[in-house]
Amino acid sequence: MRLDKFLCDALGATRKEATKIIKSGDVTVNDEVVKSGAIKVTETCVVEWQGREIQKQGPRYIMLYKPDGFVCSHEDGFNHTAFVLLDEVKMEDLHFAGRLDVDTTGLVLITDDGQWSHRITSPKHKCAKTYRVWLADAIGDDYAEKLAQGIELRNEKEATLPASMEIVDASNNELLLTITEGKYHQVKRMFAALGNKVDQLHRERIGNIVLDDALEPGEYRYLTQEEVDSVWS
Ligand code: URA
């Protein structure tokens, strides 16, 4: 593919804009400054603009470690959107494959592939999500059984689907909860229904995709092909 076409696709630029960018001398292909849009780029070429690699065409799959205080939407009048943490082109094409509350931290997946995210968010597919939960009060002896049976939430017609709970540190009221739905404020409402309160919530896993230990809050990375494919299995 010609370099100018590659940049048009990758940056959402017009041919005229791509030509201007290339002429500016800020574009390199395999570390060589290139000033002609006609040169051919192949799969193995590394194209950079102002020192930043321009991703090849194709869907993007991102894992972000969402910090406290960011919302999972494009717009919010009060809080920062988590999108400000991404250094990506064509931001308007990206969406969250499932949201977290503003005060929940941890794994969020972001993509421009609607079919892939549907697989994660559609109730039909029952994709498991694991949360680390810190409760205000002691973990009740009956919680595991009640969560496995399903909890009646206020303003919901049906009980929650069976959820599994594992105590991590009883003295700290800390546990892991795995649910296969994504109702509004679901985890907080489940524990409220049990007479407790979630103090802190952190998502560690979605399906087989685990939040990368190497990421600090606010950092992100692209998913590996294996992680992307795991959603279909
Ligand atoms: N359940 C909640 O209550 N909040 C979240 O952010 C995610 C799941």
Side-chain angles (χ1 to χ4, degrees), residues 42-186:
T42 62
E43 281 286 293
T44 54
C45 289
V46 176
V47 181
E48 290 182 315
W49 177 35
Q50 296 179 334
R52 189 159 67 86
E53 184 171 353
I54 304 299
Q55 291 298 320
K56 318 235 169 358
Q57 273 179 282
R60 286 172 286 177
Y61 304 95
I62 289 168
M63 84 158 57
L64 167 72
Y65 185 161
K66 187 186 101 55
D68 185 7
F70 289 79
V71 289
C72 293
S73 62
H74 272 284
E75 293 285 329
D76 182 295
F78 304 101
N79 301 287
H80 291 297
T81 149
F83 280 121
V84 300
L85 301 166
L86 305 183
D87 187 12
E88 290 290 314
V89 294
K90 294 205 212 172
M91 293 288 289
E92 65 282 5
D93 291 353
L94 295 170
H95 61 270
F96 293 94
R99 297 172 180 213
L100 290 179
D101 297 337
V102 63
D103 56 352
T104 303
T105 58
L107 176 63
V108 284
L109 298 175
I110 298 170
T111 184
D112 49 10
D113 180 344
Q115 287 189 341
W116 187 82
S117 60
H118 180 74
R119 189 77 194 197
I120 293 169
T121 55
S122 158
K124 198 174 98 188
H125 295 297
K126 300 191 174 57
C127 176
K129 291 128 201 146
T130 301
Y131 295 86
R132 189 172 288 264
V133 185
W134 289 266
L135 295 172
D137 298 316
I139 302 167
D141 292 339
D142 54 352
Y143 281 11
E145 197 185 328
K146 286 189 168 162
L147 290 162
Q149 281 168 357
I151 306 275
E152 308 266 348
L153 299 181
R154 286 179 65 176
N155 303 323
E156 298 286 346
K157 287 200 186 83
E158 291 178 10
T160 55
L161 292 176
S164 65
M165 187 194 101
E166 183 193 325
I167 296 175
V168 178
D169 179 359
S171 64
N172 207 19
N173 305 338
E174 181 184 345
L175 58 92
L176 291 174
L177 181 76
T178 300
I179 59 174
T180 55
E181 308 164 276
K183 292 189 166 79
Y184 182 64
H185 293 329
Q186 178 158 345

